Amino acid sequence: MSNSQQQDVGTLVTAYKPRLKAFINKRVSNKEDAEDILQDVFYQLAKVDTAMNPIEQVAAWLYRVARNMIINKQIKKHEEELPSYLYEDEEVMQDITEILFSKQTSPSPETEYLRSLMWIELENALAELPQEQREVFEKSELDGLSFKEIAKETGVSVNTLLSRKHYAVLHLRKRLSELYEEIIFS
C-alpha cells in the first residue's frame, strides 16, 4: 500500500468512524463485538487496492461491509450456540441406545423392565412413522444395512433414503426423549 493510499484510508477512518460506529452499535448489543466489526470494516478498506479496484461510493461500501459483517457475526454466534442443545440431545440418545442394546450378562430386574419399556416405546414410535421412513430406519439401524444396499434393494436414491432417515430420527428422538425425561425426572 502506498503512502498516499495509507493517508486516504486514515482520512476515511477519521471521517466515517463516528457514524459507522453508531450504525454498528444500534445493531450489535455486545460492545466488544461492535468494536471488532468496526475494526474489521476498516481493515477490509485498507486491504482494497484502490488503484486496481476504485471504490466509487465509499460510504455505501463501508455500510454494506459493516452490515454484512454484522449478519455474519450473528450467524456465527447462532451456530456456536447450537451444539450445546445438540450435545444434550445426543447424551439422552446415547443413554437410550445403551438401555436398548446393552449386553449385560446379568442385568437387574429394573434394567430389564426399563429395556422392555423402551423397546415397546420404540416400536410405538416407529409405528407412527410413514412407511418409507420406518423402513429405511429399520433397515439401516436394526438390520445394519448400508444406504447403498438399501438403495439397491428398494430402487430409491441414497439422498432420498438419507432424508427419510433424518425425519425418522427427528421423530424418534422427540418421542423417546419425552419418555426418558418421564422416567428420569418422575
Side-chain angles (χ1 to χ4, degrees):
M1 181 182 296
S2 68
N3 281 345
S4 65
Q5 208 172 356
Q6 284 177 335
Q7 231 172 4
D8 290 343
V9 170
T11 304
L12 291 171
V13 168
T14 304
Y16 288 102
K17 185 176 181 177
R19 289 184 284 172
L20 202 55
K21 185 175 184 175
F23 174 81
I24 295 168
N25 283 334
K26 284 182 186 176
R27 289 156 180 82
V28 177
S29 58
N30 184 313
K31 295 295 179 195
E32 290 81 17
D33 287 347
E35 285 295 324
D36 289 345
I37 291 170
L38 181 64
Q39 184 178 1
D40 288 344
V41 168
F42 288 120
Y43 175 73
Q44 292 299 320
L45 178 64
K47 281 184 14 182
V48 172
D49 183 2
T50 53
M52 297 296 288
N53 300 313
I55 301 172
E56 292 181 24
Q57 296 179 341
V58 175
W61 186 90
L62 288 170
Y63 284 96
R64 186 172 53 246
V65 171
R67 185 191 48 160
N68 290 342
M69 287 186 173
I70 291 166
I71 291 168
N72 290 344
K73 179 72 90 175
Q74 290 169 343
I75 290 170
K76 185 176 180 185
K77 188 171 275 189
H78 179 69
E79 288 173 351
E80 289 171 355
E81 292 171 0
L82 286 179
S84 65
Y85 298 114
L86 295 176
Y87 182 72
E88 290 170 12
D89 192 33
E90 288 299 318
E91 282 182 0
V92 169
M93 293 313 295
Q94 285 175 342
D95 288 349
I96 291 170
T97 302
E98 191 174 310
I99 292 167
L100 288 171
F101 299 107
S102 176
K103 301 287 187 207
Q104 292 179 348
T105 53
S106 57
S108 69
E110 293 85 10
T111 304
E112 277 300 314
Y113 173 73
L114 189 57
R115 181 180 294 144
S116 68
L117 183 63
M118 290 298 258
W119 273 108
I120 291 168
E121 286 302 313
L122 176 61
E123 289 170 7
N124 291 339
L126 283 169
E128 295 171 354
L129 291 171
Q131 173 64 29
E132 299 86 13
Q133 292 177 13
R134 183 175 69 242
E135 184 178 282
V136 72
F137 181 85
E138 288 174 345
K139 288 180 186 266
S140 66
E141 291 299 318
L142 303 177
D143 298 340
L145 296 176
S146 71
F147 283 100
K148 284 185 181 180
E149 292 169 325
I150 300 169
K152 188 175 181 181
E153 181 183 310
T154 61
V156 177
S157 75
V158 171
N159 286 338
T160 300
L161 293 171
L162 287 168
S163 177
R164 288 177 181 173
K165 182 176 178 189
H166 172 74
Y167 288 113
V169 168
L170 290 177
H171 174 74
L172 294 172
R173 277 186 179 164
K174 183 175 186 263
R175 286 275 280 122
L176 295 176
S177 292
E178 289 170 2
L179 173 66
Y180 180 82
E181 287 177 19
E182 285 178 24
I183 292 169
I184 298 300
F185 299 112
S186 295

